[in-house]
Amino acid sequence: MQTPTQGRHAADKRSPSTGTRTAQFLRLSRTPREGFHSTQKPAGPSRLKQFLRIERGHKA
């Protein structure tokens, strides 16, 4: 426990946060990032035919 004569730790003397770091974190979390979890295009008709052929067990 601290007494009034000891003073405060250096980390306790900083000014209160303005929320800038939190705001930047939220802004980045809302914007889509390239390279991470990129959505794929829907499969076209030719790709669907290939999947169905493989499912049936036919080889190329």
Side-chain angles (χ1 to χ4, degrees):
M1 188 163 159
Q2 295 180 355
T3 62
T5 57
Q6 285 180 326
R8 292 167 47 179
H9 189 272
D12 293 335
K13 294 180 183 177
R14 66 187 180 117
S15 60
S17 173
T18 59
T20 306
R21 292 180 79 175
T22 304
Q24 289 297 325
F25 174 78
L26 292 174
R27 181 185 63 81
L28 289 171
S29 70
R30 282 189 220 112
T31 57
R33 296 172 290 183
E34 293 182 20
F36 292 101
H37 305 288
S38 59
T39 57
Q40 295 179 354
K41 297 184 291 185
S46 63
R47 187 148 190 140
L48 183 59
K49 280 194 240 180
Q50 292 174 10
F51 282 125
L52 291 174
R53 175 184 54 79
I54 294 168
E55 182 67 27
R56 289 187 206 114
H58 295 106
K59 297 188 178 191

